[in-house]
Amino acid sequence: MVRFLLSRLAQSVFILIGVTMITFALAFLVPADPVRMIAGRNATPTVVENIRHQLGLDRPIPVQYASYLTRLAQGDLGRSYMQRTDVSTLIASRLPATLLLMAGAIFFELLIGLSAGIWAATRRGRFSDKAVMVASFVGVSAPHFLLGLLLLYVFANLLGLFPLGGYGTWRHLVLPALTLGIAGGGWYGRVMRSSMVDVLRQDYIRTARAKGLKERKVVLVHALRNAILPIVAMIGLDIGIFMSGAVVVESVYGWPGIGQLAWQAIQVIDIPIIMGVTLTAAVAIVIGNLVADLVTPFIDPRVRL
Amino acid sequence: MSDASRKFLRNRLALAGTLVILLIVAGGLGAPWLAPFDPHEQFFDGLTLEGAPLPPNEKFWMGTDLLGRDLFSRLLYGARTSLIIGVVANGAAVAIGTILGLVAGYVRGWVGAAIMRFTDLMMAFPALLLAIALAAIFSPSLWIVALVIALVNWVQIARVIYTQTTSLATREYVEATRALGANWPRLLFVHVLPHLLPTILVWSTLGIATTVLLEATLSFLGIGVRPPTPSWGGIIFESQSYFLDAPWLVFFPGVAVLLMALSFNLVGDALRDALDPTQRGR
């Protein structure tokens, strides 16, 4: 157990170091010179050289990478070209909104995915099973921006049930979280269905039925406990999909999270912000995978580390 | 194989998906003949007197966009963009993933380990954000977008191919071929690769759905294929601010993206069911 934990932690650290190497390398691919972007078009060569020196961009690349790592370790993600603020401050101020959105999305994802999956599994082969599976495919195949704009149009514009965007009350959260939740719910529904179908075939379920338990109790209590295990691992993996989806959904709904921050940065090609958000998302994904791996043995005693 | 094709043909959803794909391909290839108008022409009667786009009507079947261009014609030409990206970007991703997966799965040792640790690393990046970073760095053209998507999407295939290659590599026939003196590239590409073709086929089909969605999303964010080239995501990006008044500008291209991704997902899933023996009886 301890050995597994340590090797898994070491693996995560290596991945994070690799991630920083890639983000660092990406910053070098930028054809637009960051110094020029800060200095403006009419700057004299001396000013340009001064800024270059100030930013440390005239030092050798390994030295720059080392200082980049040192700064990252201190929580310094660099400064935004346009907003003249620390990227880490910007991300820290935006992160709570994104985490709230994710929590809401996980809620809808589980609600949609579990109920659809269980419903389809107990009606296997019938029309309603097939209908649910087609619906889950539609959910998976729908681009986030289409779902977001459609929900916005129907529930906010036509019916006026929810605000057209923004942040503040639970009403603002429903539509963006639902948008992210529908796509994830499609995946969950498919996994839940096949997992439930497998579990319902097992002997202990036959025993439960044979001793006269109501079908409802057999499915929702006895079978669900085992069938839900693959879903738990998926929640950890979902963070990556959410981080990508958040960029689209937050821009559609004007949700002030790090996705919107990235989207605003794209429009002005503010590389430090894009890199900062990418790095934050990568860290979140690594942690999510780690947690998923570590939690599984606690909920499923059959998994031995 | 005949068993597999019979199984595929019995799947009505997959057949519907195939039909939609054929229609989209026909629409994209035949765009110059099928489109009622030039996709770039800004019609004088394509806007209201106040300068607003027209909803669907007899002349413009799907309405017009903010510049008074025919939306239906633009969608037909936009299908080309999606198809080109789907085929090129996904083809490149499949090629990269297959080669890396094959080599890592067969060579093992530090080369294999290095390749697989690199794929682990790529898995840690959120695909869209990495694509955004890359697309923001290189100014996006059709080919750059395809390249960016290929660089992001090869990971999944590499992992699947790696797993299958490691098990194939222990088979006796591989050992026998090696004993006969075949060098490893020949062994891999002539003797191992054919066994992986069903897997590659399934993942290529599913990959096109991912690719189409990613391209549309990049275009929607304003960093995809550049205007004036019509692309489905791009049409929505251009008209986003106006969409409460002109929802058809979002609805039609959005549904086109959805249908295309859905069709490839349905076909890919049916292929997996038909070709993968472990999925029988589900």
Side-chain angles (χ1 to χ4, degrees):
Chain A
M1 173 78 192
V2 177
R3 259 190 72 187
F4 171 80
L5 200 79
L6 286 179
S7 81
R8 198 63 189 71
L9 271 176
Q11 205 184 333
S12 304
V13 170
F14 273 114
I15 287 184
L16 285 179
I17 291 176
V19 167
T20 60
M21 280 183 181
I22 291 183
T23 48
F24 180 75
L26 283 176
F28 269 92
L29 291 171
V30 184
D33 186 352
V35 178
R36 288 266 168 207
M37 293 191 82
I38 293 174
R41 209 170 282 170
N42 303 319
T44 62
T46 342
V47 172
V48 169
E49 279 319 302
N50 274 337
I51 294 178
R52 191 179 301 279
H53 186 70
Q54 267 179 22
L55 293 174
L57 293 175
D58 52 354
R59 290 177 296 165
I61 288 177
V63 177
Q64 286 195 42
Y65 177 66
S67 75
Y68 172 74
L69 267 190
T70 320
R71 276 181 281 128
L72 281 184
Q74 295 162 349
D76 179 2
L77 292 169
R79 282 176 78 81
S80 154
Y81 293 158
M82 303 299 159
Q83 304 202 31
R84 315 246 163 198
T85 327
D86 285 340
V87 172
S88 50
T89 316
L90 285 170
I91 289 180
S93 70
R94 302 281 198 127
L95 203 53
T98 299
L99 292 178
L100 180 64
L101 177 61
M102 280 192 177
I106 291 176
F107 170 77
F108 279 118
E109 203 166 55
L110 289 173
L111 188 74
I112 297 169
L114 294 191
S115 41
I118 294 171
W119 204 67
T122 51
R123 284 160 186 76
R124 203 158 82 85
R126 284 197 237 162
F127 177 76
S128 47
D129 174 24
K130 285 182 185 140
V132 168
M133 285 303 103
V134 173
S136 81
F137 260 122
V138 174
V140 169
S141 310
H144 284 116
F145 57 83
L146 176 69
L147 276 178
L149 290 171
L150 280 183
L151 290 177
L152 192 66
Y153 187 74
V154 174
F155 291 101
N157 188 47
L158 288 185
L159 302 175
L161 292 174
F162 298 102
L164 275 167
Y167 182 66
T169 67
W170 66 271
R171 284 172 167 274
H172 291 94
L173 177 63
V174 174
L175 291 182
L178 187 60
T179 307
L180 278 176
I182 287 177
W187 284 120
Y188 281 23
R190 296 176 57 73
V191 173
M192 189 67 210
R193 176 187 174 277
S194 76
S195 163
M196 189 56 120
V197 165
D198 280 348
V199 171
L200 285 176
R201 279 193 195 136
Q202 289 180 15
D203 289 341
Y204 83 96
I205 294 295
R206 188 180 307 160
T207 312
R209 279 181 185 146
K211 75 177 185 186
L213 278 185
K214 287 201 178 102
E215 185 63 20
R216 197 184 165 78
K217 201 169 177 203
V218 172
V219 173
L220 292 183
V221 179
H222 293 244
L224 184 61
R225 287 179 71 160
N226 276 320
I228 206 169
L229 294 174
I231 299 282
V232 177
M234 279 179 83
I235 299 179
L237 305 177
D238 252 355
I239 292 175
I241 303 167
F242 281 149
M243 280 290 176
S244 295
V247 180
V248 174
V249 171
E250 289 181 5
S251 83
V252 167
Y253 288 98
W255 186 264
I258 62 171
Q260 193 197 36
L261 184 69
W263 183 76
Q264 289 162 342
I266 296 164
Q267 311 304 317
V268 289
I269 316 194
D270 198 335
I271 302 289
I273 291 187
I274 299 179
M275 293 303 167
V277 173
T278 308
L279 205 56
T280 311
V283 172
I285 290 171
V286 170
I287 294 175
N289 290 352
L290 188 63
V291 171
D293 274 7
L294 297 183
V295 164
T296 317
F298 287 100
I299 49 172
D300 187 355
R302 287 170 302 183
V303 177
R304 287 280 186 85
L305 295 180
Chain B
M1 191 61 200
S2 70
D3 180 40
S5 49
R6 219 177 305 126
K7 200 165 175 196
F8 182 84
L9 289 174
R10 247 189 290 134
N11 189 330
R12 265 178 272 164
L13 284 171
L15 290 181
T18 314
L19 186 69
V20 173
I21 293 170
L22 289 177
L23 280 177
I24 294 174
V25 172
L29 288 179
W33 300 278
L34 293 170
F37 303 104
D38 177 352
H40 300 295
E41 189 175 348
Q42 304 180 9
F43 288 95
F44 181 68
D45 60 349
L47 295 171
T48 63
L49 289 177
E50 292 81 27
L54 294 178
N57 57 53
E58 276 165 22
K59 184 175 177 192
F60 305 106
W61 299 338
M62 291 186 177
T64 58
D65 73 358
L66 298 179
L67 297 174
R69 297 174 293 193
D70 179 44
L71 185 59
F72 180 59
S73 306
R74 289 186 69 72
L75 278 189
L76 283 177
Y77 279 90
R80 294 181 155 196
T81 310
S82 290
L83 286 168
I84 291 175
I85 299 265
V87 171
V88 173
N90 188 54
V94 169
I96 300 172
T98 305
I99 291 172
L100 289 183
L102 265 176
V103 171
Y106 183 72
V107 177
R108 303 285 194 85
W110 69 268
V111 180
I115 294 175
M116 290 326 288
R117 288 299 80 75
F118 186 62
T119 53
D120 287 349
L121 177 60
M122 293 294 292
M123 289 288 278
F125 272 102
L128 180 63
L129 279 169
L130 188 60
I132 285 174
L134 284 169
I137 287 168
F138 308 108
S139 77
S141 70
L142 187 67
W143 304 111
I144 292 289
V145 172
L147 180 71
V148 164
I149 293 176
L151 287 179
V152 171
N153 272 356
W154 60 270
V155 188
Q156 195 76 43
I157 296 168
R159 287 170 79 106
V160 175
I161 296 291
Y162 168 78
T163 318
Q164 296 210 353
T165 309
T166 47
S167 84
L168 278 174
T170 60
R171 299 270 180 88
E172 276 171 0
Y173 87 91
V174 172
E175 207 173 320
T177 320
R178 195 165 42 213
L180 286 172
N183 59 356
W184 69 265
R186 183 181 159 80
L187 184 80
L188 272 187
F189 290 97
V190 179
H191 298 282
V192 175
L193 188 62
H195 290 271
L196 298 171
L197 285 180
T199 312
I200 296 174
L201 181 66
V202 168
W203 284 92
S204 314
T205 318
L206 294 172
I208 291 185
T210 324
T211 307
V212 167
L213 285 176
L214 192 52
E215 184 273 324
T217 305
L218 286 175
S219 296
F220 168 77
L221 292 171
I223 45 174
V225 180
R226 279 285 159 88
T229 312
S231 97
W232 293 341
I235 294 171
I236 300 181
F237 170 68
E238 290 160 11
S239 31
Q240 199 191 160
S241 55
Y242 213 75
F243 108 95
L244 289 182
D245 299 302
W248 62 90
L249 285 175
V250 166
F251 182 76
F252 287 120
V255 168
V257 175
L258 168 65
L259 276 178
M260 188 155 166
L262 179 63
S263 305
F264 278 104
N265 270 334
L266 286 174
V267 172
D269 194 61
L271 283 175
R272 176 163 46 194
D273 280 354
L275 295 173
D276 182 356
T278 61
Q279 293 285 326
R280 296 254 155 90
R282 288 243 171 158

